[in-house]
Amino acid sequence: MIAGASFLVGMAAIFVIPKEPPRSVNSTDLPRASGVDWTGAFLFTSGTLLLLIALSEGVSEGWKTPFVISILIVAVVFLASFIFLQHYLETKSTREPLMRVSTFKNSRFSFAMVIVFLFSAGFTLFLVYSTY
C-alpha cells in the first residue's frame, strides 16, 4: 500500500516539478543541479551494491571463491570509474558532477567523513553481532 503510494507520488513529481534551465558556460551563478549525471549514478549505485553483495557472500561462500573475488574486482572498477568520471566532469566538462571530488581536498571535511564512516561501521557491526 505504502509502496504504491510512493510510486504514484514519484511519478507525479516527474511531471509536476518544472525542469531547471541549463547553466550557461560563462555564468557566474552558483552551481545548480541542471541535470542528473546518470552514468555516475549508475556507476556508484552498481559499485556499492556489488561491494555489499561481495561482502555478504564472502562470509557464506568463502572469500577465496572466484564468484566473490570477481564481484569485488568489478565493484572496485565501478567505484574507481565513478571517481574518475566525477573528477573529469568537475574539471574538464560543463556538465555538473554528481559529487564534487574537490570537496575532499578540505582536510576537515575528509576527517569528518572518516569519523562518520567509522561510527557507521561500528554501529552496524554492533547491530549485526548483537542479534546472534
Side-chain angles (χ1 to χ4, degrees):
M1 178 86 168
I2 294 175
S6 299
F7 177 76
L8 290 175
V9 169
M11 286 289 113
I14 291 174
F15 298 108
V16 173
I17 298 174
K19 296 194 184 290
E20 192 171 347
R23 185 176 63 157
S24 64
V25 177
N26 296 329
S27 175
T28 58
D29 294 342
L30 295 175
R32 305 182 297 170
S34 60
V36 175
D37 176 23
W38 292 109
T39 307
F42 169 77
L43 288 172
F44 181 75
T45 304
S46 300
T48 306
L49 181 66
L50 287 172
L51 181 64
L52 291 174
I53 289 171
L55 292 176
S56 64
E57 290 295 319
V59 174
S60 60
E61 297 288 327
W63 291 104
K64 294 182 180 180
T65 58
F67 174 69
V68 173
I69 293 172
S70 62
I71 289 180
L72 275 173
I73 290 172
V74 172
V76 169
V77 167
F78 276 11
L79 291 172
S81 299
F82 169 74
I83 292 171
F84 287 125
L85 175 68
Q86 298 309 301
H87 178 68
Y88 172 78
L89 290 178
E90 185 179 0
T91 58
K92 298 180 176 127
S93 177
T94 58
R95 291 177 38 207
E96 291 288 331
L98 195 61
M99 177 189 78
R100 295 191 179 280
V101 182
S102 63
T103 307
F104 289 94
K105 288 181 181 178
N106 184 343
S107 60
R108 287 184 179 184
F109 177 79
S110 296
F111 188 66
M113 290 299 105
V114 168
I115 290 173
V116 167
F117 172 77
L118 292 174
F119 176 77
S120 299
F123 187 69
T124 303
L125 285 174
F126 168 74
L127 290 177
V128 168
Y129 287 121
S130 67
T131 59
Y132 291 111

